Amino acid sequence: MPSAKNKPGAAGSDEELVRRCVAGEAVAWDALVERYKNLVYSVPLKYRLSPDDCADVFQSVFAELLAEIHKLRQPSGLRSWLVTVASHKCLHLKRRMARHVDNDSSGAPVEAVDPHDMERWLQQVQRARQVKDACERLPPRCREMLQILFWQDPPPSYAEV
C-alpha cells in the first residue's frame, strides 16, 4: 500500500499542504497526517502516557487541527502548533489523572515535564525532520545506502553492505 507521500500531489511544504487542506483536498490531509503522525504521537509518549492515552491525544490533536486549519495564521509554524496543542492536551490529561490519584491509595506522584526539556526535544525533532527531508531529496541509491548504514538495527556488516 503506498504511503500518502507517494500519492500524486501529496508532497509539498507545510504552507502548500495547509492551503490544499483548506481547499478540501483529501490527499493533502493524508500527507499532512503522514508527515506529522510520529511527532504528534511522540508528545504523549514523552509525558509517559499509556498507549490508549497516547492514541486519544493523537486523535484529539488531529481533530482539533481539522477544525482549526482554516484559522492557522502561520502554516510554517504548524510543527510547533501541533507540539503545543499535544502538550496542552497531555497536561490536561495528567491533571485529570492526578485528581484520580488523590483518591488512589498508591499516592504515586504525577511527573511534570520541564518546558525547557520540551523545547530541546522539539529542536531535536525539527533537526531530525530536516535530515529526513534532506534524505528524501537524495537519489534512491544514495538514500538506500544511508538507510542501510545508519537506520538498520543491528547495523549490517561491511560484507553485507
Side-chain angles (χ1 to χ4, degrees):
M1 182 170 121
S3 69
K5 67 183 174 186
N6 293 333
K7 292 180 185 175
S13 67
D14 286 351
E15 294 87 353
E16 175 70 13
L17 288 175
V18 167
R19 184 188 62 72
R20 291 173 47 210
C21 286
V22 170
E25 288 186 36
V27 172
W29 175 256
D30 292 345
L32 208 57
V33 172
E34 181 68 27
R35 179 175 291 175
Y36 289 113
K37 67 182 181 182
N38 292 336
L39 173 67
V40 171
Y41 195 83
S42 69
V43 174
L45 287 175
K46 182 89 171 152
Y47 280 84
R48 298 184 180 142
L49 296 178
S50 72
D52 286 343
D53 289 334
C54 289
D56 289 345
V57 168
F58 177 88
Q59 183 175 7
S60 179
V61 168
F62 279 106
E64 187 167 334
L65 177 60
L66 185 60
E68 301 292 325
I69 197 162
H70 65 282
K71 295 180 185 176
L72 285 179
R73 285 181 256 141
Q74 292 182 327
S76 62
L78 180 61
R79 178 179 287 120
S80 296
W81 186 92
L82 289 167
V83 169
T84 300
V85 171
S87 295
H88 287 149
K89 290 185 181 299
C90 291
L91 286 172
H92 291 299
L93 183 58
K94 284 281 209 178
R95 286 185 188 126
R96 278 197 312 268
M97 290 168 37
R99 282 186 236 131
H100 294 293
V101 168
D102 289 342
N103 298 330
D104 186 8
S105 61
S106 70
V110 176
E111 294 182 36
V113 175
D114 182 359
H116 298 294
D117 286 343
M118 285 300 290
E119 183 61 31
R120 282 190 294 274
W121 172 76
L122 178 58
Q123 289 171 350
Q124 289 173 342
V125 168
Q126 289 172 333
R127 279 192 298 269
R129 180 65 196 185
Q130 289 170 338
V131 169
K132 186 174 187 278
D133 288 345
C135 288
E136 287 176 355
R137 290 190 299 269
L138 291 172
R141 185 173 178 189
C142 295
R143 187 172 46 243
E144 183 180 351
M145 181 60 78
L146 285 175
Q147 288 172 340
I148 290 169
L149 292 173
F150 297 106
W151 287 301
Q152 284 189 4
D153 191 26
S157 69
Y158 183 77
E160 291 173 313
V161 173

